[in-house]
Amino acid sequence: PPPPSSPPAALAIVRPFATHDASKLIGSFARWEVVAPCAAVGAGFAPAPPLVLYYSKSIRELRGTPAWPSLEAFLQGASSKPWRRCFGSVSLLGGNLTEAQDRYTRDTAGSEVAWSSGPSVQFYRMLAYYSARPGTTVYYMDPDSVPLARFWLDRLMRDMHAQRPFSVLGSTYRGSNWDSFSDEEIPVALRRHLNGNAVYNVSHPFLLEALSQYSDELWTTVKHSSFDVQLSEGLFGDRNVSLEEAERVYGYKTTPLISNLAATLTVPRDIPDTVVLAHGAVYLQEWPVPGCPPTGLGADRAG
């Protein structure tokens, strides 16, 4: 098995998106104005992390999409935002996927070979890009990742340093959609997988090995699970390791700061106080909200 790698030295916040969720990405930054990422310039760490908006296709193609005017305006106005002081730079990066590669059709996961090729090829191209920059760690922050507590970036960076060495630092599924299924009905690798919205030490041998086995052709011609589940399958399927060995030997670890709630109906009381970043939840506001009188519908507390 690969030995633990050296501690990650720097963090980049990489926010992947495709044409269909460009507007969601731009809109997600409004939350950052209410829930500040950091308390001090550069999140109190040196160097200050870069913020990278990572488009699936080329930047040239991005400029031809309906989302470009809003995205261009966002980039031009970023310097005036209060959260900008937390980052050393704000930039765009293109994954250069082709039209055929840039696909994500969850409803055809059981039948179509390339159903998740878009996010998966985009992820592995991110790994290739940053693995050429030794010492970089990436928080791969999807458009539907919602900060819940002030100074979430400070706390994430402290946890990252406390938990090193690691390969992946993230969250298993913490919603309720699987509650009616037995352990035998949910494959071990799926149940134990860390969602793709996670922190990656791209220099770790486990991720470098996964990258060495990657090819564009395989992901578009051979059926795969999504990239995050595939990483888990490499541990709990191919190697058949225990949870303890996955953490100790391969650095595949959970953090209490991120909660993967993929497609789970969620109200604030469902989320533990330790969580500072919730991913993929479908949010419901409890009733009554502040400023609205009770209506007799019944609620144990205001949202």
Side-chain angles (χ1 to χ4, degrees):
S5 67
S6 58
L11 179 68
I13 309 300
V14 178
R15 305 211 62 189
F17 69 103
T19 302
H20 73 273
D21 55 5
S23 296
K24 179 184 289 186
L25 174 73
I26 297 167
S28 70
F29 286 99
R31 178 74 177 170
W32 292 25
E33 298 184 31
V34 178
V35 184
C38 69
V41 174
F45 292 85
L51 172 63
V52 181
L53 310 187
Y54 177 37
Y55 182 56
S56 56
K57 296 180 182 177
S58 70
I59 302 305
R60 178 184 58 81
E61 289 173 290
L62 176 60
R63 291 192 176 104
T65 66
W68 175 248
S70 296
L71 186 55
E72 184 178 34
F74 168 81
L75 292 168
Q76 291 174 347
S79 60
S80 65
K81 300 298 183 182
W83 50 260
R84 176 62 179 83
R85 65 194 174 95
C86 302
F87 303 95
S89 61
V90 179
S91 62
L92 277 175
L93 178 67
N96 297 319
L97 274 68
T98 65
E99 185 71 27
Q101 291 169 335
D102 194 20
R103 303 189 62 187
Y104 182 57
T105 53
R106 185 179 297 179
D107 57 335
T108 63
S111 58
E112 189 173 341
V113 169
W115 71 275
S116 69
S117 63
S120 298
V121 173
Q122 189 176 7
F123 171 78
Y124 275 102
R125 290 193 177 178
M126 177 277 293
L127 276 190
Y129 180 84
Y130 282 103
S131 66
R133 292 153 178 79
T136 301
T137 298
V138 170
Y139 173 35
Y140 208 55
M141 186 180 187
D142 290 334
D144 57 351
S145 295
V146 179
L148 302 179
R150 288 192 309 158
F151 316 143
W152 52 269
L153 181 57
D154 291 343
R155 295 177 62 179
L156 184 65
M157 293 183 77
R158 284 195 294 269
D159 190 53
M160 179 188 86
H161 285 271
Q163 295 225 46
R164 62 189 182 184
F166 63 85
S167 59
V168 185
L169 191 62
S171 171
T172 56
Y173 176 61
R174 293 175 180 165
S176 58
N177 291 345
W178 291 351
D179 288 358
S180 61
F181 296 94
S182 67
D183 288 350
E184 291 73 26
E185 291 176 290
I186 305 292
V188 171
L190 179 59
R191 188 175 290 277
R192 293 179 177 177
H193 92 281
L194 300 179
N195 180 265
N197 181 78
V199 182
Y200 297 89
N201 176 7
V202 298
S203 299
H204 194 283
F206 174 57
L207 292 180
L208 292 177
E209 180 183 353
L211 179 60
S212 72
Q213 297 172 353
Y214 165 83
S215 77
D216 287 353
E217 182 180 1
L218 280 176
W219 275 92
T220 53
T221 60
V222 178
K223 189 175 180 182
H224 289 82
S225 301
S226 57
F227 73 86
D228 49 355
V229 176
Q230 190 215 26
L231 289 174
S232 179
E233 290 169 346
L235 292 174
F236 303 111
D238 299 343
R239 294 176 176 85
N240 194 28
V241 303
S242 65
L243 276 172
E244 186 276 334
E245 188 178 2
E247 291 188 8
R248 176 177 52 82
V249 178
Y250 295 93
Y252 193 76
K253 301 179 179 181
T254 60
T255 172
L257 302 183
I258 301 173
S259 187
N260 170 34
L261 295 163
T264 303
L265 293 177
T266 304
V267 292
R269 64 184 175 192
D270 294 336
I271 302 174
D273 291 340
T274 56
V275 174
V276 300
L277 291 153
H279 168 253
V282 179
Y283 295 97
L284 295 178
Q285 177 64 59
E286 292 176 284
W287 187 269
V289 297
C292 295
T295 62
L297 294 176
D300 53 3
R301 66 184 176 98

